[in-house]
């Protein structure tokens, strides 16, 4: 039964995937390769072969994208890795860029 003068309203829900951001590792002359591999395995959840491949990319080309995440996750991973690098005395540097 419809009431006179009743209007039906269509509600459109626009759901979008959150933007993703790449975590970029930068090469330096002081951070040991083994440390970079540890970070890639422990924080970025890479397998040993993938971690070694990414570490070599960073070493040979000066930088490499090591993963794409939502902004909050990307920043948290960078903060966690940077804290660990600082504790070890390494100038390890990472940045975030929009994917």
């Amino acid at each position: 039964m419809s009431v006179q003068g009743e209007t039906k309203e269509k509600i459109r829900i626009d759901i979008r995937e959150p933007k993703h951001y790449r975590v970029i590792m930068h090469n330096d002359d002081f951070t040991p390769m083994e440390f970079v591999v540890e970070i890639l395995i422990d924080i970025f959840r890479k397998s040993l072969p993938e971690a070694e491949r990414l570490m070599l990319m960073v070493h040979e080309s000066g930088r490499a994208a090591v993963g794409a995440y939502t902004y909050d996750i990307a920043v948290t991973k960078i903060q966690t890795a940077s804290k660990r690098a600082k504790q070890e005395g390494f100038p390890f540097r990472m940045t975030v860029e929009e994917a």
Side-chain angles (χ1 to χ4, degrees):
M1 177 172 137
S2 182
V3 177
Q4 187 175 3
E6 180 182 327
T7 58
K8 288 198 174 190
E9 192 177 316
K10 286 188 178 180
I11 298 173
R12 183 177 166 200
I13 299 173
D14 193 14
I15 300 175
R16 291 185 207 152
E17 287 287 319
K19 286 185 181 177
H20 277 74
Y21 294 82
R22 284 189 291 271
V23 173
I24 309 295
M25 283 189 173
H26 300 272
N27 190 44
D28 65 65
D29 293 332
F30 304 101
T31 305
M33 293 179 181
E34 296 80 15
F35 178 80
V36 175
V37 169
E38 279 178 33
I39 293 293
L40 287 165
I41 291 170
D42 295 348
I43 297 170
F44 293 90
R45 302 289 178 225
K46 304 296 181 187
S47 65
L48 178 59
E50 177 73 356
E52 289 175 339
R53 185 185 70 75
L54 287 167
M55 176 274 299
L56 286 172
M57 282 178 63
V58 171
H59 181 70
E60 291 168 359
S61 58
R63 59 180 257 154
V66 298
Y69 310 92
T70 60
Y71 184 78
D72 290 344
I73 292 173
V75 169
T76 299
K77 286 182 179 289
I78 287 174
Q79 288 172 341
T80 304
S82 295
K83 182 178 177 185
R84 200 147 126 195
K86 188 175 183 179
Q87 288 171 342
E88 298 285 332
F90 303 134
F92 190 50
R93 191 167 76 89
M94 288 170 285
T95 55
V96 172
E97 63 184 38
E98 198 169 321

